[in-house]
Structure formats: structure tokens, C-alpha cells
Amino acid sequence: MFDQATVGLLAKGLLESLYMVLVSTLLAYIIGLPLGILLVVTDKDGIRPAVGLNRTLGFIVNILRSVPFLILLVALIPFTRAIVGTTIGSTATIVPLVIGSAPFIARLVESSIKEIDRGVIEAAQSMGASPIKIIYKVMLPEAKPALIVNGAIAITTILSYSALAGFVGGGGLGTIAINYGYHRYQTNIMLVTVVLLVILVQVFQEIGMKIARSTDKRL
């Protein structure tokens, strides 16, 4: 169906997409996880209420989440060039992917932690546990299944963002779909990229659910 060059092109695109998604997810969680925890802790009902800080962080998160990724991608071109020296390719795409997905991850982390039974946290407070201990010994362990499930959601969302980056030469399967499926009308190549993206989504979701089930028998 495809010659060796096309197969090589698709394989390279697949590897680039995996590289972008995995690295971006890791970096976005380095930012989004503590930000989500901070949103919970500083909430008016949190263990260390700080309404002003909470509202400021929430406002920034909401603003970044409100900007469509394709627009954010273009708006960040000067910043991306300053960071990595180029705006084309998979490495350059990681910059807007991280900035665009970190606020989304922060909200996922916030919602996961807020699912915890309030009584568990109150019990830890009554025993004199410090806020740090409550976070690491109570909040994160109790929210682990939800965090893992939401992590699978996050990684598939970042994968869809990476495909959008194909419109500006971001690399990966998205660029192949745009260059060959759209500009050159090679529908067969575009269909294969769609199938590969669907497979990646299913794989990431299945892995996330299996890990979540292994940590919580209720799932």
C-alpha cells in the first residue's frame, strides 16, 4: 500500500508525536501538579486558606485555559523562538504544549483532590499533622486513582494539541496529516495518521485505567 519512504515518514511522525506528548506531559505535570495542590490548599475551605492568592492563581489558570490552543501556539511564537531558537519541529512544539496544558492539568489535579472525603483530612488535622504531611500522606495517596485517570485524560488532550501544531510545522503525525492529506490531497496518508492517533489515544487511556484499577479496587 505504501512504499518504504512513506512508511519511514509515518514511523518518524509517530516517534515525534510520542516524544512531544510524553515530554510535554512530564513538564506540564511538574508545573500543573503543585499548582493544582496550591489551588486546593489555599481555597477558602482548604487547610491553609489564602483567598487572595487562590483567586489570583485561579484567574491566571482560567485565562490560559480560555485561549484556544492554536491561537496560543501562534501567540507564543516569539517566546518559543527565544527558548529553543526555532518555532518549527517537535522540540519547539513542546514549549506551547506545556504552557497550554499545565493550567488544564492544574484543574484536573484540583478536582481529583477535592473528591477526597473531607473527614479524612479533618482527622489528619485533629491528630496535629502539618500541612506538608497532610498533602503527601493524605491528599495525594487518597487521590491517586483519580489523579491517574485524569492523567490519562491529560495525555490524550496533549496528543490532540500536538496534532493541531501540524498547522504551523510542529512535527509529528499532525504535520504529516496537514502536509500530505490536506495540501497534497493524499487521503490515504491522512487516514493512516488518523488511525495512528486513535490507537495512541486508546493505548494511553487503557494504560491509565489499568494503573488506576491496580491502585483502587473500586474501579
Side-chain angles (χ1 to χ4, degrees):
M1 181 179 179
F2 295 115
D3 57 25
Q4 187 174 356
T6 303
V7 172
L9 177 70
L10 291 168
K12 180 183 177 183
L14 178 61
L15 291 176
E16 286 181 348
S17 290
L18 286 172
Y19 163 67
M20 286 189 292
V21 170
L22 295 177
V23 174
S24 298
T25 301
L26 175 62
L27 295 177
Y29 260 93
I30 290 174
I31 298 171
L33 180 61
L35 182 56
I37 293 172
L38 194 57
L39 285 169
V40 175
V41 170
T42 59
D43 186 68
K44 60 182 178 64
D45 297 320
I47 57 177
R48 277 293 182 268
V51 178
L53 175 61
N54 185 271
R55 288 180 178 175
T56 301
L57 291 175
F59 177 76
I60 294 171
V61 167
N62 290 337
I63 288 294
L64 290 174
R65 286 187 62 201
S66 300
V67 181
F69 179 72
L70 192 56
I71 295 176
L72 182 67
L73 182 67
V74 175
L76 288 173
I77 284 178
F79 180 72
T80 301
R81 185 181 291 111
I83 295 295
V84 297
T86 182
T87 59
I88 298 174
S90 53
T91 299
T93 304
I94 290 174
V95 176
L97 280 176
V98 172
I99 295 174
S101 57
F104 174 66
I105 288 172
R107 286 302 187 191
L108 289 178
V109 170
E110 180 187 21
S111 65
S112 297
I113 295 177
K114 284 188 173 181
E115 291 177 7
I116 301 172
D117 185 355
R118 180 68 186 174
V120 177
I121 297 175
E122 290 175 349
Q125 288 179 306
S126 66
M127 289 186 290
S130 66
I132 295 297
K133 283 189 176 181
I134 293 174
I135 291 171
Y136 287 101
K137 299 293 186 180
V138 180
M139 288 183 173
L140 292 179
E142 288 291 325
K144 186 187 292 185
L147 287 170
I148 293 171
V149 171
N150 283 334
I153 295 173
I155 199 169
T156 54
T157 300
I158 293 172
L159 178 61
S160 68
Y161 286 170
S162 72
L164 280 174
F167 280 102
V168 292
L173 294 172
T175 295
I176 293 174
I178 298 300
N179 289 345
Y180 291 86
Y182 181 72
H183 292 299
R184 302 185 187 183
Y185 303 103
Q186 292 180 260
T187 308
N188 56 341
I189 294 181
M190 184 172 66
L191 288 175
V192 171
T193 60
V194 170
V195 170
L196 289 173
L197 288 169
V198 170
I199 291 173
L200 285 178
V201 168
Q202 296 304 315
V203 168
F204 287 137
Q205 287 183 338
E206 188 61 27
I207 291 174
M209 288 305 299
K210 282 187 175 181
I211 297 174
R213 290 191 192 100
S214 68
T215 59
D216 189 346
K217 300 303 181 182
R218 295 172 297 177
L219 295 177

